Amino acid sequence: MNQQIHHICHTPLQDDVSHHPIGVFDSGIGGLTVVAALQKHLPHENIIYIGDTARVPYGGKSQATVTRYSQEITTLLLAEKAKMIVIACNTASALALPTLTNFYSLPIHGVIEPGAFAAVKATRNGRIGVIGTRATIASQAYQEAIYRFSQNAHVLSSACPLLVPLVEEGLFEDEITRRVLERYLEPLLLQRIDTLVLGCTHYPLLKKLIANIIGPDVTLVDSAENCAMTVQSLLEKNHLARKEAAPSHLEVLLTDTSEDFLHIAAHALHIKIAKVRISTLE
Ligand code: DGL
């Protein structure tokens, strides 16, 4: 990834692409948590978001399949003139980022490294918990990224496959969600983690409930928030930040209809969507 960024730094741009949108993609709608964080840190950037709602969830799929889907969606974002790509999906970041950065020449950024870096900065006892989909946890991508930043860290991870459907039903503060979360988090708390990485697009929507269960002594690390801060500095460093301080707009492209969760997520995250398009992949 860094090689790509250097390439952009040292190659004079033929064309000023700074006014082009940031391309963000996710397996579905959950990646709007990353959009909300990007809008907070980069209020003047236009965003084109693709949610692969026809093929969600990615969280139980193989690396080959997630990589193929991610390549197809990235190609769609290029056709939409994205100036850089943000992989909002933790599963796609964990499984497909290396292939995508080899394949395309524009900057591509995932959510794993920023989350791992923030966790290493936050921990005091070196014991970091990570929660995510089955595929993210099995890939050990967070583990490897955390060890790259700190060889002394001890990573304890847990796959939480029931959380995505609960969030998609809008059960952010429901008793059922609380009990499921307690079941997933208790083993990590028993292992004395002092930092917990929310390694899935959907989990920032459960922040309140999670914070309540883990208590004030465990620091929550939101990968979406840390990814947005990294994208902000990358755009500035590469002279890709939009120059006009004009209002921005968000366009959402879905590969199948998903009206309910789109509405629930946009409302919960206070996101205004200028336009929604449905585009089948065939
Ligand atoms: N977007 C996925 C992630 O962040 C969660 C939903 C899915 O399984 O596709 O890992």
Side-chain angles (χ1 to χ4, degrees):
M1 181 181 60
N2 288 335
Q3 274 170 357
Q4 307 286 351
I5 293 158
H6 278 129
H7 177 72
I8 290 285
C9 276
H10 296 124
T11 308
L13 290 174
Q14 304 276 311
D15 205 2
D16 182 13
V17 296
S18 62
H19 59 284
H20 289 193
I22 298 175
V24 181
F25 83 86
D26 179 39
S27 53
I29 308 290
L32 288 181
T33 52
V34 176
V35 169
L38 285 169
Q39 286 186 330
K40 182 173 130 198
H41 291 276
L42 298 157
H44 303 301
E45 293 293 341
N46 291 322
I47 295 175
I48 168 85
Y49 176 94
I50 301 187
D52 194 4
T53 42
R55 304 186 292 197
V56 68
Y58 284 8
K61 295 193 169 72
S62 69
Q63 177 159 30
T65 299
V66 172
T67 303
R68 178 164 55 85
Y69 289 176
S70 301
Q71 278 178 303
E72 288 168 4
I73 301 294
T74 303
T75 302
L76 278 183
L77 282 172
L78 290 183
E80 298 288 333
K81 294 195 165 29
K83 61 182 171 186
M84 76 170 289
I85 306 287
V86 178
I87 311 177
C89 180
N90 284 254
T91 305
S93 298
L95 271 50
L97 180 64
T99 306
L100 294 187
T101 51
N102 279 336
F103 206 81
Y104 300 95
S105 60
L106 81 171
I108 303 186
H109 205 72
V111 280
I112 307 275
E113 281 219 353
F117 183 65
V120 167
K121 270 206 326 209
T123 187
R124 289 147 284 137
N125 70 1
R127 302 178 74 79
I128 299 170
V130 179
I131 51 173
T133 63
R134 280 206 175 97
T136 298
I137 298 305
S139 74
Q140 306 212 335
Y142 269 107
Q143 214 138 328
E144 285 164 15
I146 289 170
Y147 291 149
R148 276 199 298 278
F149 294 122
S150 164
Q151 271 136 27
N152 300 326
H154 190 59
V155 180
L156 300 127
S157 51
S158 177
C160 305
L162 292 174
L163 296 183
V164 165
L166 287 168
V167 170
E168 298 206 349
E169 289 302 322
L171 301 174
F172 307 140
E173 289 179 44
D174 195 273
E175 189 49 29
I176 297 179
T177 313
R178 161 183 284 280
R179 289 175 63 177
V180 171
L181 272 169
E182 277 169 354
R183 174 77 72 92
Y184 285 137
L185 296 175
E186 255 158 32
L188 299 178
L189 294 172
L190 283 173
Q191 299 271 352
R192 295 184 297 108
I193 58 161
D194 75 349
T195 303
L196 179 67
V197 181
L198 302 180
C200 175
T201 43
H202 291 54
Y203 302 170
L205 289 163
L206 299 174
K207 239 183 197 170
K208 208 164 150 191
L209 208 49
I210 294 174
N212 202 271
I213 293 168
I214 61 178
D217 295 336
V218 180
T219 308
L220 266 187
V221 171
D222 179 343
S223 288
E225 188 68 27
N226 287 287
C227 174
M229 291 191 280
T230 311
V231 169
Q232 180 179 24
S233 58
L234 269 179
L235 287 180
E236 281 162 13
K237 229 194 296 177
N238 293 295
H239 311 291
L240 282 173
R242 188 178 176 203
K243 296 187 177 81
E244 311 90 303
S248 62
H249 74 273
L250 163 68
E251 194 169 338
V252 171
L253 202 155
L254 303 177
T255 55
D256 200 354
T257 48
S258 184
E259 302 303 328
D260 286 354
F261 187 42
L262 182 63
H263 184 72
I264 290 171
H267 177 76
L269 294 163
H270 311 291
I271 282 179
K272 269 208 197 96
I273 301 173
K275 193 169 166 193
V276 181
R277 276 187 285 151
I278 309 289
S279 166
T280 52
L281 286 158
E282 293 89 57

